[in-house]
């Protein structure tokens, strides 16, 4: 591109942004109370993309720039971009939940300063979010038409049909069938771990999906009860469940009750696999609670294989909390997790993940007007937030603990008795 052509391009882009900023300022100046406007990037297929929002009320204008709370994966702001928004005059968000505080970068200006509001929106979109031209924006008619043709969206990708019959012939193809079967069931898509297993969380437990390496088969499994107190009662309950739950296998091994479901996938329909997964996921918590009342206590889900240090520590904490909520203080957390910052950090991450999932259910209950469910979920959410706070306080105790000086014995040429000194 020659120098004259480059200058012409730059002039055209600057002129388009200037005209858009003027139209935006005029629109903001004429907004009525409770009016709002969202200026967002078009054609973003991966989820919520960059946007700014302007809301008017009582002579003031609230300008918001989207934060990582809402941005899709791949669009998140890094620390430099967040500092750039602050340099423009935006305040940082102070919460992850809109009901608890500001979740976007924000600033309030008087409505008579509509030009300032328009400048902040344009600079945020251009300098921070990297929008090249206002023609890429959706601003409810304020964006320019023509002049610069946007890059057309990519051709629509044909999505796999969950009702199509497939014949997987490798481990990877079996995993693809399972991925399609569980697609959309969770806020965050589950990922296969380093052992080749897929963890699927429920409210209180973890269902594992394992793929057979020699044949197109998958196994669903879940530990329901650990440390059975009454073995005879446990055998009776296992036999009862095996009679009533067709296709599932309940077993008692080493004082533990587990449930498994083997799926033959030589010829598979992902939607049918979905129904099998839903059947197990929707009932394991109920089975575990019922069995715990009859034969023992069910462990808290941790994502760890049974028997690990973390599984043991988490089960101890859960048992104490089950007996009396809030009874495990920061100092007790430190002792339970053996002064191990890694184990405690993992417990914090698991607890925070559950809190986020509970917050999603809380929003859904609130939107559906289910008041009783909303109250119950709110109690669960508040408890998990308090539990995570006590865990962090325990982590702080470990980090702030004084470092003990190692006592080194001084080598001597004589025995203590001969030297006439004692320790």
């Amino acid at each position: 591109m020659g120098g004259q052509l480059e200058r012409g391009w730059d002039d055209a882009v600057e002129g388009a942004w200037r005209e858009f900023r003027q139209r935006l300022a005029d629109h903001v100046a004429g907004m009525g109370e409770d009016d709002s406007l969202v200026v967002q990037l078009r054609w973003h297929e991966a989820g919520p993309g960059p946007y700014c929002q302007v809301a008017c009320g009582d002579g003031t204008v609230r300008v918001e720039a989207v934060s990582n709370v809402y941005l899709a994966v791949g669009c998140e702001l890094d620390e430099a971009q967040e500092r750039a928004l602050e340099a423009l005059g935006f305040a940082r968000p102070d919460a992850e939940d809109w009901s608890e505080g500001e979740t976007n970068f924000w600033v309030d200006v008087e409505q008579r300063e509509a030009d300032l509001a328009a400048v902040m929106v344009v600079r945020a979109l251009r300098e921070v979010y990297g929008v090249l031209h206002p023609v890429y924006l959706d601003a409810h008619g304020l964006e320019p038409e023509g002049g610069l043709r946007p890059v057309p969206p990519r051709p629509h990708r044909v999505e796999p049909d969950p009702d199509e019959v497939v014949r997987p012939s490798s481990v990877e193809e079996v995993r693809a069938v399972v991925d399609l079967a569980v697609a959309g069931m969770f806020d965050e898509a589950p990922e296969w771990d380093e052992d080749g297993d897929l963890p699927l969380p429920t409210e209180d437990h973890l269902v594992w999906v394992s793929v057979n390496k020699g044949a197109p088969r998958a196994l669903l499994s879940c530990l329901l009860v650990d440390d059975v107190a009454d073995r005879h009662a446990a055998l009776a309950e296992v036999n009862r469940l095996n009679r009533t739950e067709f296709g599932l296998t309940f077993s008692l091994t080493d004082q533990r009750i587990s449930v498994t479901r083997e799926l033959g996938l030589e010829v598979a329909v992902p939607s049918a696999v979905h129904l099998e997964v839903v059947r197990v996921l929707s009932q394991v918590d109920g089975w575990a609670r019922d069995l715990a009342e009859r034969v023992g206590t069910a462990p808290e889900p941790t994502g760890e294989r049974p028997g690990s240090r973390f599984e043991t520590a988490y089960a101890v904490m859960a048992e104490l909390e089950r007996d009396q909520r809030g009874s495990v203080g920061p100092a007790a957390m430190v002792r339970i997790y053996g002064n191990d910052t890694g184990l405690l950090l993992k417990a914090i991450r698991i607890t925070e993940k559950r809190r986020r999932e509970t917050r999603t259910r809380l929003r859904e209950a609130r939107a559906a007007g289910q008041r009783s469910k909303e109250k119950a979920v709110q109690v669960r959410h508040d408890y998990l937030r308090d539990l995570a706070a006590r865990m962090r306080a325990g982590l702080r105790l470990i980090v702030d603990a004084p470092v003990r000086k190692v006592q080194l014995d001084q080598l001597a040429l004589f025995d203590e008795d001969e030297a006439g000194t004692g320790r």
Side-chain angles (χ1 to χ4, degrees):
M1 184 182 290
Q4 183 175 0
L5 188 56
E6 287 184 9
R7 287 192 296 273
W9 168 267
D10 292 340
D11 291 343
V13 171
E14 289 298 331
W17 278 113
R18 184 169 55 252
E19 293 174 4
F20 173 72
R21 186 177 65 244
Q22 292 171 352
R23 287 194 295 271
L24 179 59
D26 292 341
H27 180 85
V28 173
M31 290 174 65
E33 189 171 350
D34 297 330
D35 285 347
S36 63
L37 172 68
V38 176
V39 182
Q40 60 187 344
L41 182 66
R42 295 178 185 264
W43 310 300
H44 195 271
E45 300 176 352
Y51 70 84
C52 289
Q53 178 172 296
V54 181
C56 185
D58 194 24
T60 62
V61 172
R62 166 67 59 92
V63 181
E64 293 187 3
V66 65
S67 72
N68 291 339
V69 173
Y70 302 105
L71 282 170
V73 175
C75 297
E76 298 97 331
L77 301 172
D78 57 28
E79 184 61 31
Q81 289 173 300
E82 292 182 341
R83 288 197 301 269
L85 285 174
E86 288 185 287
L88 292 178
F90 288 95
R92 277 183 179 264
D94 55 10
E96 295 184 357
D97 190 328
W98 61 268
S99 65
E100 298 176 357
E102 300 298 339
T103 52
N104 280 333
F105 289 84
W106 62 278
V107 64
D108 289 332
V109 300
E110 296 184 13
Q111 190 168 5
R112 59 184 179 84
E113 298 178 298
D115 288 332
L116 175 59
V119 167
M120 296 189 72
V121 170
V122 168
R123 292 193 64 185
L125 292 170
R126 291 190 69 183
E127 301 172 16
V128 179
Y129 298 110
V131 181
L132 299 178
H133 194 283
V135 78
Y136 291 106
L137 298 175
D138 180 359
H140 299 278
L142 298 179
E143 69 278 3
E145 295 292 340
L148 178 66
R149 293 290 181 184
V151 178
R154 291 176 295 176
H156 179 66
R157 182 167 61 92
V158 178
E159 296 292 338
D161 184 0
D163 295 320
E164 181 181 358
V165 178
V166 294
R167 292 174 173 81
S169 58
S170 66
V171 171
E172 289 72 21
E173 291 179 359
V174 172
R175 288 176 180 164
V177 171
V178 176
D179 286 336
L180 184 57
V182 303
M185 293 178 62
F186 304 93
D187 293 336
E188 297 180 5
E191 297 181 358
W192 298 85
D193 65 11
E194 62 273 9
D195 296 326
D197 299 327
L198 183 68
L200 303 177
T202 67
E203 177 73 20
D204 296 319
H205 290 79
L206 206 59
V207 175
W208 292 88
V209 182
S210 304
V211 177
N212 189 299
K213 294 180 174 57
R217 307 185 72 81
L219 183 70
L220 309 179
S221 62
C222 180
L223 174 65
L224 299 176
V225 178
D226 195 9
D227 193 17
V228 168
D230 188 339
R231 183 174 177 82
H232 292 292
L235 286 172
E237 290 300 318
V238 166
N239 290 332
R240 178 183 64 82
L241 288 169
N242 282 327
R243 290 194 303 269
T244 57
E245 298 293 341
F246 180 77
L248 300 177
T249 301
F250 294 82
S251 59
L252 173 63
T253 306
D254 296 331
Q255 303 301 110
R256 293 173 176 172
I257 299 178
S258 301
V259 60
T260 58
R261 172 70 167 118
E262 187 175 5
L263 303 176
L265 302 177
E266 293 86 353
V267 178
V269 179
S271 59
V273 177
H274 170 81
L275 294 178
E276 293 287 352
V277 173
V278 169
R279 178 192 179 190
V280 176
L281 288 177
S282 62
Q283 297 188 79
V284 290
D285 290 344
W287 289 329
R289 284 191 295 268
D290 184 55
L291 288 169
E293 294 177 358
R294 299 168 185 256
V295 301
T297 57
E300 283 283 341
T302 62
E304 289 283 318
R305 293 300 190 184
S308 68
R309 286 182 59 218
F310 180 78
E311 177 74 15
T312 301
Y314 203 99
V316 170
M317 182 206 69
E319 185 62 28
L320 295 176
E321 283 288 304
R322 186 180 293 111
D323 181 61
Q324 182 180 353
R325 282 195 171 187
S327 62
V328 181
M333 291 285 185
V334 172
R335 291 192 294 272
I336 289 172
Y337 289 94
N339 283 274
D340 191 322
T341 55
L343 295 183
L344 198 48
L345 278 172
K346 187 164 189 175
I348 292 172
R349 288 196 297 269
I350 289 175
T351 304
E352 283 294 336
K353 180 176 182 296
R354 290 179 184 165
R355 188 179 71 86
R356 290 192 297 270
E357 293 170 349
T358 304
R359 186 175 61 200
T360 300
R361 292 195 295 272
L362 178 62
R363 290 175 177 170
E364 293 172 351
R366 185 177 297 154
Q370 299 172 329
R371 297 296 300 169
S372 58
K373 181 178 180 181
E374 179 185 347
K375 291 180 180 179
V377 176
Q378 182 70 60
V379 171
R380 173 73 172 170
H381 176 271
D382 294 344
Y383 167 71
L384 291 173
R385 181 167 54 187
D386 173 68
L387 180 61
R390 283 183 277 132
M391 289 179 174
R392 289 194 178 93
L395 186 65
R396 173 64 62 184
L397 287 177
I398 298 176
V399 174
D400 290 345
V403 178
R404 293 185 177 181
K405 185 177 180 181
V406 178
Q407 180 68 39
L408 297 176
D409 288 339
Q410 177 67 42
L411 295 178
L413 297 177
F414 304 95
D415 291 337
E416 290 180 358
D417 293 341
E418 296 178 5
T421 61
R423 295 185 184 177

